[in-house]
Amino acid sequence: MTKQNLFLCASAFLALQACQEIVPSAEPDAPTVSTYTEAESSGLRTLRPYPNDDDVCELLKETAFTEAFETEGKRLIACPKHERGAIKDRTREGAKVVGNAKHWVLLSIDA
């Protein structure tokens, strides 16, 4: 196997691994860690904290992995699963839980 083929196989494996971590759900999964982890470690790409610069939730960039959760007129955000207060704040604002990505909960909220 050439280095290029090995690289392509490894890239495909990692992409499939990330796909499996983002799971549709109407409820947040139980926290798997009790400390903050970067959203990128859960296969997510972020734009900025949401709703304010000092918040733990993040506005997400659209990627191949989050595309299935994107809806016209909605923004996709994510909050760490262990930040139950932040998740409750977002749902009180009208956000709906749409999935889970490893250590993060995905929520859809009006744009």
Side-chain angles (χ1 to χ4, degrees), residues 36-40 44-61 75-80 86 90 104-107 109:
Y36 180 83
T37 62
E38 294 292 328
E40 287 77 13
L44 305 172
R45 299 266 190 220
T46 63
L47 290 170
R48 63 175 172 78
Y50 181 88
N52 302 307
D53 288 339
D54 60 347
D55 283 302
V56 296
C57 298
E58 295 277 345
L59 182 62
L60 298 179
K61 290 182 185 178
R75 291 185 280 190
L76 194 59
I77 60 174
C79 301
R90 301 297 77 83
W104 289 69
V105 175
L106 303 178
L107 302 105
I109 193 162

Side-chain angles (χ1 to χ4, degrees), residues 72-102:
E72 190 173 329
K74 302 280 187 181
R75 291 185 280 190
L76 194 59
I77 60 174
C79 301
K81 286 182 183 177
H82 70 277
E83 293 287 350
R84 299 225 183 244
I87 295 167
K88 284 182 184 177
D89 288 345
R90 301 297 77 83
T91 56
R92 272 190 233 119
E93 294 170 356
K96 303 280 187 234
V97 175
V98 294
N100 291 277
K102 199 171 181 179

Side-chain angles (χ1 to χ4, degrees), residues 7-23 42-43 64-65 102:
F7 177 76
L8 290 173
C9 288
S11 297
F13 175 77
L14 291 174
L16 288 172
Q17 190 91 2
C19 283
Q20 293 175 349
E21 294 176 352
I22 300 177
V23 180
S42 292
F65 304 125
K102 199 171 181 179

Side-chain angles (χ1 to χ4, degrees), residues 5 29 31-32 39 41 51 57 63 67 86 89 96 103 111:
N5 286 344
D29 284 347
T32 49
S41 69
C57 298
T63 66
E67 193 174 78
D89 288 345
K96 303 280 187 234
H103 306 303

